[in-house]
Amino acid sequence: MENQTIQRKFNKNQFIPLVLIGSGLIILGLLLARALTSTTPALNYSVVPSEVNFPAPKLVLNDLNGNLVNIADYQPKIVMINNWATWCPPCKAEMPTLEKYYKAHSDQGFMLLGIEAGDPNKDVASFVDELGITFPILIDPETTSLTAFRNDSLPSSYVIDRNGNVILAWTGPINRDMLEKYVTPLLEQ
């Protein structure tokens, strides 16, 4: 009789639903954890720049007001070109970081030019207003900048030294630590 009682406690038909429910809860927890950690990619994640050395491409583009801007006119400043688009989530995520770095270092001879890759002017203006961007934004309907830098990935950023040479290249989002580590020393030279 004791064996029959033990068999009832561990009946397979009762055990399987508990395993399925437990497994489902574990999977749900893992999916939730992944979703929560993927919503802020630019806060902690950053690519490391590549050291490069080539002359800055000759780029003349319109700003949001229709004025022609030649990137060579910013020499001898340290110029960072940031290629981005309004539809690009990592681009949007890194914009507050770029804005804060620009505000902190623009008085040290640093210029940041955001080059928007092909979206309509009104969409770009709304995006810039929404995020409170104060650095110059250039409109690039033909994606000339992406072609000139031979990189169609977004976001992508390039640092041009005081002599007009591209010396750093990023493909992917940048965080503040990377900017401080790689760009700030250039401003101090």
Side-chain angles (χ1 to χ4, degrees), residues 3-151:
N3 285 342
Q4 290 175 355
T5 305
I6 292 173
Q7 287 177 348
R8 276 188 251 184
K9 286 184 181 177
F10 294 106
N11 186 341
K12 269 184 12 179
N13 292 335
Q14 294 172 339
F15 186 72
I16 291 175
L18 291 175
V19 170
L20 292 175
I21 290 171
S23 298
L25 288 173
I26 290 170
I27 291 170
L28 183 63
L30 292 172
L31 291 173
L32 183 60
R34 182 175 179 190
L36 290 175
T37 58
S38 68
T39 58
T40 56
L43 295 179
N44 296 320
Y45 174 75
S46 179
V47 293
V48 175
S50 298
E51 290 185 19
V52 295
N53 188 9
F54 59 90
K58 297 182 185 333
L59 288 172
V60 179
L61 299 165
N62 289 318
D63 65 14
L64 284 171
N65 298 318
N67 302 312
L68 283 177
V69 175
N70 184 339
I71 64 168
D73 290 345
Y74 289 101
Q75 273 186 294
K77 293 184 177 195
I78 299 293
V79 177
M80 181 175 203
I81 302 294
N82 176 254
N83 291 312
W84 64 280
T86 61
W87 50 263
C88 166
C91 300
K92 185 174 183 176
E94 78 176 352
M95 281 295 168
T97 298
L98 295 175
E99 176 64 22
K100 287 176 186 169
Y101 188 83
Y102 171 71
K103 283 183 174 180
H105 296 284
S106 61
D107 63 342
Q108 294 176 279
F110 175 71
M111 175 52 67
L112 174 59
L113 299 172
I115 301 180
E116 205 290 328
D119 290 325
N121 199 346
K122 65 180 173 119
D123 293 347
V124 177
S126 292
F127 183 92
V128 167
D129 288 342
E130 175 188 327
L131 293 178
I133 297 169
T134 62
F135 55 86
I137 299 296
L138 307 180
I139 305 299
D140 191 7
E142 305 298 322
T143 64
T144 307
S145 181
L146 295 175
T147 302
F149 284 103
R150 298 180 185 168
N151 184 355

